[in-house]
Amino acid sequence: MTGVFNPMHFIAALFQATTLDEAFAAYERQMQALGVESVMYTFVPQIYLDAHLSIVPLFKTSGSYSPGFLKHYQEAGFEQHDFTVKKILQGESQLIDWWGESRKCHLSKHEQNIVVTAREDYGIRNGMTIPLQSGIGIGGISCISADKDAAYQRLLRERAEALFCCAQLFHAHVMTRPQLNAFFMTALLEKLSVKERRLLPFLITGLPMKTVISNLPKSTYS
């Protein structure tokens, strides 16, 4: 039934999943039941942020999550100007309504261009991002809605809490199960340069970057 969110049923579905694909499928079904058309899950480990490593965020998406826009987003390097990413890095914890932020007129030209491209070039009528924080990284779940503006605003008023809770449960479940978050960890490690791979074991110590760098063997940078 549309609009129904039973946390116990959803948690049971997550625990029955043995792979990230199965867990994401359970999450996608629940979000669609709440009235969201499609979803995209993004995660970046905290160690990459602390070390300022040059990586591209990884995505797990619904098949219907506008593949054309996602391709455009990646090829254009939109993550460099994505206001939702900036707000999450600044510690935002509340749901971010894309068009609501756009209407506030505080976005830069580059930030506004992402919104305009999504809506005008790819027909994404409405969207939101749910910030996700954890001890081992940050992320977000972006949701696309096919509802017109009035219906979308009603969706936010009536189901924002359920949407947020559902996203938090999914994220917490994935982050605490190595067999699920390995998808992100492995793929991100593969993107590291040789120098970054040499640096990583020293970063795991948890020491401040200044201390790590001052104690690195010279071979690390050769």
Side-chain angles (χ1 to χ4, degrees):
M1 184 183 301
T2 302
V4 171
F5 174 47
N6 185 315
M8 296 309 297
H9 288 173
F10 178 52
I11 291 171
L14 289 178
F15 273 92
Q16 289 170 5
T18 58
T19 67
L20 179 61
D21 284 342
E22 291 176 358
F24 186 76
Y27 172 68
E28 181 182 6
R29 287 193 299 271
Q30 179 60 73
M31 292 294 275
Q32 289 174 342
L34 287 169
V36 170
E37 180 183 350
S38 57
V39 294
M40 177 176 70
Y41 177 49
T42 307
F43 172 71
V44 177
Q46 188 63 40
I47 193 170
Y48 292 87
L49 302 173
D50 293 340
H52 305 289
L53 299 179
S54 56
I55 61 169
V56 177
L58 291 173
F59 308 103
K60 188 71 177 172
T61 66
S62 305
S64 57
Y65 192 94
S66 185
F69 174 65
L70 182 56
K71 184 173 185 289
H72 188 146
Y73 183 101
Q74 293 173 303
E75 291 179 347
F78 276 173
E79 72 276 358
Q80 302 298 320
H81 305 287
D82 191 331
F83 63 90
T84 65
V85 173
K86 181 172 73 174
K87 288 176 76 69
I88 293 172
L89 288 172
Q90 291 172 344
E92 179 62 67
S93 59
Q94 301 301 311
L95 185 150
I96 305 168
D97 174 16
W98 299 352
W99 315 135
E101 292 296 316
S102 176
R103 286 191 291 269
K104 291 177 183 177
C105 300
H106 61 222
L107 301 182
S108 70
K109 179 180 178 181
H110 291 300
E111 291 171 338
Q112 188 70 29
N113 180 53
I114 299 174
V115 177
V116 172
T117 299
R119 184 164 247 187
E120 295 186 1
D121 293 353
Y122 295 94
I124 298 176
R125 186 178 294 277
N126 280 297
M128 68 185 86
T129 295
I130 300 171
L132 300 169
Q133 305 281 349
S134 73
I136 61 173
I138 69 164
I141 290 182
S142 297
C143 311
I144 291 176
S145 171
D147 288 338
K148 294 183 179 179
D149 292 347
Y152 175 71
Q153 291 304 314
R154 185 167 61 252
L155 170 70
L156 292 181
R157 288 195 305 271
E158 296 177 356
R159 300 174 191 163
E161 185 175 349
L163 291 170
F164 199 89
C165 181
C166 190
Q168 293 287 341
L169 285 172
F170 171 74
H171 179 60
H173 184 75
V174 170
M175 289 298 100
T176 55
R177 277 157 179 74
Q179 71 271 27
L180 301 184
N181 62 48
F183 167 82
F184 293 100
M185 300 300 187
T186 302
L188 287 168
L189 284 171
E190 290 174 349
K191 290 179 177 292
L192 293 178
S193 67
V194 174
K195 283 186 178 180
E196 289 170 338
R197 291 188 184 190
R198 290 176 179 172
L199 181 62
L200 199 57
F202 298 94
L203 294 173
I204 294 173
T205 64
L207 294 172
M209 275 297 296
K210 187 178 295 186
T211 303
V212 169
I213 292 173
S214 65
N215 287 281
L216 283 176
K218 291 183 179 179
S219 61
T220 302
Y221 291 103
S222 61

